[in-house]
């Protein structure tokens, strides 16, 4: 992880190095960090600033995941979880304010779409490669998660 700065980011500051369910660990890291940052520094971590962080994180993530995938010899290595982190931050910023129960539901819905990759998520996962492909399919999973949450709330 420490052999290149891109690896630190792509592997979610170590959360993706879990021997089992690294994507879930990355998503849990996203959930925990979102709540800690938002609670500890609410004046900075506003919804608009979160969206800016997510956009910048997406762009930087394309680079980090490309470099890490290339260095590991697998384009979408399981230890790369920055895509889950950015996508779940997007889900959280768009569903908050939300209590623990609603955030847990958002977590479960997002993990479903990210792991199962039903169409059209699977299409994007197979069609786009490299760092962009790694990042983009999780944004699509976030979109479908948010769609389900919006339908549930209505």
């Amino acid at each position: 992880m420490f052999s290149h700065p891109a690896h630190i980011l792509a592997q979610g500051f170590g959360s993706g190095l879990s021997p089992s369910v690294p994507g879930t660990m990355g998503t849990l890291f996203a959930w925990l960090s979102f709540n800690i940052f938002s609670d500890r520094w609410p004046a900075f971590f506003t919804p608009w600033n979160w969206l800016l962080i997510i956009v910048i994180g997406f762009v930087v993530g394309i680079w980090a995941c490309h470099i890490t995938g290339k260095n590991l010899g697998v384009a979408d290595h399981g230890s790369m979880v920055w895509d889950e982190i950015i996508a779940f931050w997007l889900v959280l910023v768009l569903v908050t304010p939300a209590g623990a129960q609603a955030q847990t539901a958002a977590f479960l819905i997002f993990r479903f779409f990210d792991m199962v990759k039903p169409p059209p998520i699977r299409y994007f996962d197979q069609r786009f490669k490299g760092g962009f492909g790694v990042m983009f399919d999780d944004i699509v999973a976030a979109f479908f998660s948010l769609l389900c949450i919006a339908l549930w709330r209505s």
Side-chain angles (χ1 to χ4, degrees):
M1 181 175 82
F2 295 111
S3 64
H4 194 287
H7 300 338
I8 296 168
L9 190 65
Q11 294 177 321
F13 304 96
S15 62
L17 298 176
S18 171
S20 63
V21 293
T24 299
M25 293 300 128
T27 308
L28 285 170
F29 175 84
W31 190 4
L32 179 65
S33 61
F34 180 89
N35 281 301
I36 288 172
F37 293 153
S38 296
D39 290 345
R40 179 68 178 98
W41 299 286
F44 179 78
F45 288 96
T46 64
W48 286 110
N49 283 349
W50 268 116
L51 290 174
L52 181 61
I53 290 165
I54 291 164
V55 168
I56 293 168
F58 180 84
V59 172
V60 173
I62 292 170
W63 165 79
C65 290
H66 172 77
I67 295 294
T68 304
K70 184 178 170 186
N71 290 347
L72 293 176
V74 179
D76 193 358
H77 193 273
S79 70
M80 297 190 312
V81 296
W82 187 247
D83 51 336
E84 279 89 2
I85 292 168
I86 290 297
F88 195 59
W89 280 349
L90 179 62
V91 170
L92 289 172
V93 77
L94 294 175
V95 301
T96 54
Q101 190 174 30
Q103 288 185 23
T104 300
F107 173 83
L108 294 172
I109 293 166
F110 174 74
R111 288 308 300 145
F112 168 78
F113 282 113
D114 187 40
M115 290 188 307
V116 175
K117 297 190 186 315
I121 300 166
R122 182 175 298 129
Y123 168 81
F124 292 113
D125 183 51
Q126 294 171 347
R127 172 113 167 123
F128 298 112
K129 299 299 177 194
F132 179 79
V134 171
M135 296 296 297
F136 187 69
D137 73 299
D138 285 73
I139 295 298
V140 177
F143 169 78
F144 280 99
S145 301
L146 289 163
L147 183 62
C148 286
I149 293 165
L151 291 171
W152 171 44
R153 286 182 170 176
S154 69

